[in-house]
Amino acid sequence: MFTLLELPYAPDALAPVISADTLSYHHGKHLRTYVTNLNAALPGSGFEDSSLEEIVVRSEGGIRNNAGQVLNHNLYFTQLGAPQAGRRPAGALLAAMERDFGSFEAFREAFTKVAVGLFGSGWAWLAADAQGNLRITQEANAGNPVQKGLIPLLTFDVWEHAYYLDWQNRRADHVAALWDLVDWKVIEKRFESR
Ligand code: MN
């Protein structure tokens, strides 16, 4: 059985980019429902002892969608911290970004385009392959780059439930503000321990 992620910060820690109100729905209602639905689908599925990643890669239908949303949200919520302008990566991750995208700024611009341009509901991802090459991917609905054999590093949730209470239809403004929340230490650790 999977449990609801405990948020590593206070409910108002991400305001005003993500309000306590949004967080209470997004974490306390949406993510909780995905966890509940996943646990309800487990008995008899053959995935009772599988990790989230295994379920996402090997299953299909409702169980895959709910496992994907639990995995995606766990990665999303644990990579965020209090708003702080000018946050940027360092170390091996920054070096890989400069190698594969030219600069951090060029990466951010390309990732932003993917997040803002995603039609409907889904996720923008920075992922790495086994050799440490970086890739930006766009995944609809509950998609995760593990399904493409990649290691997920950073993700922006662009389902409307992630921003509508605070930003209404202004997804581009929300995405621009999200960069101030990214805790690059977490992303660097995911990259280095891949
Ligand atoms: Mn979400």
Side-chain angles (χ1 to χ4, degrees), residues 26 69 73 123 157 159 161-162:
H26 198 182
Q69 286 296 75
H73 285 94
W123 303 76
D157 183 349
W159 283 60
H161 69 222

Side-chain angles (χ1 to χ4, degrees), residues 58-71:
R58 295 175 36 224
S59 72
E60 45 192 48
I63 187 167
R64 198 206 66 84
N65 285 335
N66 284 291
Q69 286 296 75
V70 175
L71 176 61

Side-chain angles (χ1 to χ4, degrees), residues 105-158:
E105 287 70 24
F107 155 72
R108 196 171 53 186
E109 196 178 316
F111 187 101
T112 295
K113 208 168 277 179
V114 162
V116 173
L118 192 153
F119 185 81
S121 298
W123 303 76
W125 294 90
L126 172 67
D129 67 17
Q131 287 73 44
N133 300 302
L134 298 177
R135 217 85 71 72
I136 296 170
T137 79
Q138 189 183 62
E139 309 295 339
N141 302 316
N144 185 296
V146 292
Q147 295 164 293
K148 299 171 173 167
L150 300 170
I151 299 123
L153 302 176
L154 167 75
T155 191
F156 281 11
D157 183 349
V158 292

Side-chain angles (χ1 to χ4, degrees), residues 128-194:
D129 67 17
Q131 287 73 44
N133 300 302
L134 298 177
R135 217 85 71 72
I136 296 170
T137 79
Q138 189 183 62
E139 309 295 339
N141 302 316
N144 185 296
V146 292
Q147 295 164 293
K148 299 171 173 167
L150 300 170
I151 299 123
L153 302 176
L154 167 75
T155 191
F156 281 11
D157 183 349
V158 292
W159 283 60
E160 282 185 344
H161 69 222
Y163 60 87
Y164 212 84
L165 287 178
D166 301 323
W167 300 84
Q168 296 78 48
N169 62 321
R170 292 174 291 127
R171 184 196 287 185
D173 294 339
H174 169 67
V175 166
L178 262 186
W179 293 107
D180 290 349
L181 302 186
V182 175
D183 184 346
W184 287 103
K185 291 273 164 271
V186 173
I187 313 301
E188 288 160 20
K189 200 171 286 173
R190 288 176 187 169
F191 180 61
E192 284 154 24
S193 61
R194 73 185 182 277

Side-chain angles (χ1 to χ4, degrees), residues 20-84:
D21 208 19
T22 290
L23 210 51
S24 80
Y25 279 97
H26 198 182
H27 172 265
K29 305 276 189 211
H30 289 276
L31 178 53
R32 186 185 301 276
T33 300
Y34 296 130
V35 172
T36 302
N37 290 348
L38 172 59
N39 285 333
L42 279 179
S45 67
F47 292 101
E48 294 87 343
D49 300 315
S50 301
S51 67
L52 278 175
E53 287 83 354
E54 284 168 346
I55 300 173
V56 170
V57 169
R58 295 175 36 224
S59 72
E60 45 192 48
I63 187 167
R64 198 206 66 84
N65 285 335
N66 284 291
Q69 286 296 75
V70 175
L71 176 61
N72 294 357
H73 285 94
N74 287 355
L75 290 165
Y76 172 77
F77 284 123
T78 55
Q79 67 183 10
L80 303 177
Q84 197 181 304

